[in-house]
Amino acid sequence: MSLVHILFALILLLAVAVGMIRIHFGPTAADRMMAAQLFGTCGVAILLLLAWGLNTPVLLDIALVFALLAALTTMTFVRRAW
Amino acid sequence: MDFLDKIGIFLITLGLPFFLSGTVGLLRFPDIYTRLHALTKADNVGLGLIILGLAFQADSWLIVARLLLIWLLVLIASSASCHLVASRAMQNKIKPWSSP
Amino acid sequence: MADNNTTRQSPLVRRVLRRFLFLALIWLVLCGSEQASWILGLPAVLIAVLISLMLAPYSEFSFSFSGLCSFIPFFLRQSSLSGFDVMRRALAVQPDINPGLVPYTTFLPQGAPRIFFVNTISLLPGTLSAELHGNEVTVHTIDKDLAIWATIQNLELRIAYLFRIGPPVEVKK
């Protein structure tokens, strides 16, 4: 079963990579930031899938930290940078 | 056990199109606000389905609880940051796109 | 938790106990059943209780358990509908959108209920809370033809029920 999980994780990684095109076109800083937000949610999903695919439960905790940091990055961005 | 595994895989597969359409929306929609719609909603449903699918494959209830906690955190994070970005865009007088 | 604490300030012991149990539960979820983790966990939970008492000494609103039970299915259903809705619009040959801004006045009081309201709007089908000034919420909708007013009002009433807030009749001037 683990190969399926890794395959799914790769598909999600592709979704993030394609979303990064938005960073190139912008036009505002917030549009670029949204690509980072996309990476936040997809990143959590990728880590969770890898936790099962590679049989590494520690990745679950990393996903948790990712989820926490995703909120902080956007808040900092909105308050300080834009 | 095997049956639960299959349900899990099915749910995860169901979640992928949402993530992909979130990306598509982010690229195709015309302004910040509509892109936020795509990003927040599609991705949350996608993550919800993946987490539900993984919960079916989890060995213990503790793992299920941890997955739920992650999902709740992401929900709170993405809805809060969605509102923050949108209200900041309004403050910066960015006009919402409207159909001609 | 389920009994009626409609009084504004429940006794300190009760508040501390409730917060302690809540945070200890989170620690349990985070660290699993490993007993050694409580060497660090117990002080962490106690410090967290202390900080929460310093930041928010009183819990101004209480949850209604039945309100929560009816809110969760409602929310799950609505947010999955919103996912489908956005997917359909994004994948259409010509992106199927007709966005606009809609003002909405809420009767929910300031604090947790209003913030909860504003944040959940963004997860409902076709709506996104763009601005909040006092009790005026500016909602961005992805399609002006959607019946978003009904959806938002439905959400508002459910949140009022969730936080045990009375009906809006007297609040309107």
Side-chain angles (χ1 to χ4, degrees):
Chain A
M1 274 305 163
S2 60
L3 265 181
V4 184
H5 289 105
I6 294 173
L7 179 71
F8 283 163
L10 280 174
I11 296 175
L12 284 185
L13 196 64
L14 193 74
V16 177
V18 174
M20 294 287 173
I21 298 174
R22 186 40 77 196
I23 296 181
H24 178 71
F25 287 107
T28 66
D31 292 289
R32 300 195 170 91
M33 194 61 200
M34 264 186 260
Q37 255 176 289
L38 175 81
F39 191 52
T41 325
C42 283
V44 169
I46 290 172
L47 284 170
L48 290 177
L49 286 170
L50 285 182
W52 264 256
L54 303 174
N55 218 349
T56 324
V58 187
L59 288 177
L60 217 69
D61 296 324
I62 298 176
L64 202 81
V65 175
F66 233 71
L68 275 171
L69 286 181
L72 284 183
T73 40
T74 320
M75 280 170 203
T76 320
F77 165 74
V78 166
R79 304 214 70 154
R80 307 269 151 162
W82 189 45
Chain B
M1 197 61 213
D2 207 25
F3 181 62
L4 286 182
D5 252 8
K6 277 186 184 129
I7 298 179
I9 292 289
F10 175 70
L11 286 169
I12 295 170
T13 321
L14 224 58
L16 286 183
F18 286 99
F19 274 108
L20 297 180
S21 59
T23 303
V24 171
L26 183 67
L27 295 180
R28 284 185 80 195
F29 283 172
D31 71 345
I32 294 191
Y33 307 99
T34 43
R35 281 174 206 146
L36 275 174
H37 274 279
L39 196 64
T40 346
K41 288 170 188 146
D43 279 13
N44 279 329
V45 178
L47 187 67
L49 282 169
I50 285 184
I51 281 186
L52 194 66
L54 291 176
F56 271 101
Q57 305 181 327
D59 316 316
S60 75
W61 281 103
L62 216 59
I63 305 255
V64 176
R66 210 175 294 178
L67 284 171
L68 277 181
L69 190 67
I70 293 175
W71 186 58
L72 265 180
L73 268 177
V74 174
L75 266 188
I76 296 170
S78 62
S79 67
S81 39
C82 171
H83 171 69
L84 280 175
V85 171
S87 68
R88 192 71 176 164
M90 292 285 278
Q91 258 178 40
N92 288 358
K93 304 265 186 297
I94 295 178
K95 283 251 156 39
W97 180 89
S98 62
S99 56
Chain C
M1 224 183 278
D3 51 358
N4 51 335
N5 315 290
T6 30
T7 45
R8 262 292 135 87
Q9 300 164 14
S10 49
L12 182 72
V13 186
R14 190 116 156 244
R15 265 180 283 140
V16 170
L17 202 67
R18 211 184 291 163
R19 287 173 197 202
F20 178 81
L21 285 178
F22 175 70
L23 291 167
L25 186 72
I26 290 185
W27 184 269
L28 182 74
V29 171
L30 288 179
C31 288
S33 45
E34 204 163 319
Q35 274 168 20
S37 82
W38 287 98
I39 297 171
L40 208 67
L42 200 64
V45 169
L46 286 174
I47 290 171
V49 170
L50 210 70
I51 292 174
S52 94
L53 282 175
M54 265 157 31
L55 291 176
Y58 304 109
S59 7
E60 284 173 63
F61 299 94
S62 56
F63 277 108
S64 128
F65 187 66
S66 62
L68 191 67
C69 287
S70 82
F71 186 81
I72 291 174
F74 163 79
F75 175 75
L76 289 179
R77 191 165 157 267
Q78 290 292 323
S79 75
S80 37
L81 280 180
S82 80
F84 273 113
D85 182 66
V86 145
M87 176 151 78
R88 186 178 61 75
R89 288 171 200 281
L91 300 181
V93 181
Q94 193 73 33
D96 176 17
I97 51 172
N98 179 22
L101 294 173
V102 180
Y104 189 87
T105 310
T106 176
F107 69 83
L108 292 170
Q110 203 158 22
R114 199 177 283 172
I115 291 171
F116 191 72
F117 176 60
V118 166
N119 279 334
T120 350
I121 286 179
S122 305
L123 298 171
L124 295 192
T127 57
L128 187 149
S129 55
E131 227 173 8
L132 175 69
H133 286 301
N135 60 353
E136 304 275 340
V137 189
T138 308
V139 179
H140 182 271
T141 169
I142 201 160
D143 189 344
K144 280 185 275 192
D145 301 329
L146 285 175
I148 63 154
W149 215 79
T151 326
I152 296 179
Q153 199 172 37
N154 188 0
L155 172 74
E156 193 182 23
L157 290 174
R158 276 167 195 276
I159 290 178
Y161 180 40
L162 179 66
F163 284 98
R164 299 168 190 262
I165 297 161
V169 193
E170 290 170 72
V171 183
K172 280 190 179 148
K173 282 176 242 164

